[in-house]
Amino acid sequence: MQRVDLSGAKLFDADFSGADLSYANLSSVNLAPPDGEVDDFASVRFDHATFVEANCEKANFIECSFVGAEFASANLVKAIFCGSDFMRADIRDSDCTGADFEKADLRGTNLTGSKFNDANFNGILFDEETDWNGVTGLDAVKNVPDALKQQLGL
């Protein structure tokens, strides 16, 4: 399913577990599950996929690969990204309130202008190329690594 165009689609009750959606266009896609439901995208490869203005609220992306993916202005509220790889991804201007990034790899990721209130950063990986400019809500993030606190002067 590489390079598939799913822009604007509403994908409820979809099971893409283990799929390869590299280079897929998921712009304005709605991946938010209906109330009380959980959509499972475990171990899906979304490398270089486009999620611009996508609604991924409460979606489950455990151990997914988002290398080079673009999430600009996406709704990632309460999404679960445990163990996911975001190396060199673009998550700028996105709402990540309450999102779970436990053990996520954020090295080289552009987080500029995103909101992280109540997010979980337990065990995240980051480096000097991770762009934290204009990020808000870090004072309310759970489990901010000491090295990140030091780097950002928190």
Side-chain angles (χ1 to χ4, degrees):
M1 290 180 53
Q2 288 188 359
R3 298 191 190 278
V4 67
D5 186 351
L6 298 171
S7 55
K10 293 180 180 163
L11 303 175
F12 302 120
D13 297 321
D15 185 1
F16 288 99
S17 296
D20 185 348
L21 293 172
S22 298
Y23 297 93
N25 182 356
L26 296 148
S27 296
S28 300
V29 71
N30 189 350
L31 298 176
D35 288 341
E37 308 252 342
V38 175
D39 277 343
D40 187 10
F41 299 97
S43 301
V44 175
R45 187 173 167 191
F46 292 106
D47 295 347
H48 306 283
T50 303
F51 291 86
V52 174
E53 297 181 358
N55 181 9
C56 302
E57 185 172 350
K58 297 181 184 175
N60 182 356
F61 295 104
I62 293 177
E63 296 182 355
C64 289
S65 180
F66 297 102
V67 173
E70 184 178 0
F71 284 90
S73 302
N75 176 1
L76 306 177
V77 172
K78 296 184 180 178
I80 300 171
F81 296 107
C82 296
S84 291
D85 185 352
F86 289 94
M87 284 187 69
R88 297 177 309 281
D90 185 352
I91 309 178
R92 68 185 142 86
D93 300 320
S94 294
D95 189 349
C96 303
T97 302
D100 190 348
F101 289 93
E102 183 168 348
K103 297 182 181 174
D105 189 342
L106 300 175
R107 291 179 290 180
T109 302
N110 181 1
L111 304 170
T112 304
S114 291
K115 296 182 234 173
F116 286 96
N117 300 62
D118 297 319
N120 179 18
F121 279 4
N122 187 44
I124 63 165
L125 297 175
F126 62 95
D127 61 13
E128 62 281 347
E129 293 181 25
T130 305
D131 192 344
W132 301 95
N133 287 317
V135 168
T136 60
L138 287 177
D139 54 329
V141 168
K142 299 173 200 138
N143 304 307
V144 177
D146 290 337
L148 181 57
K149 287 179 186 176
Q150 183 177 3
Q151 178 182 328
L152 300 177
L154 299 176

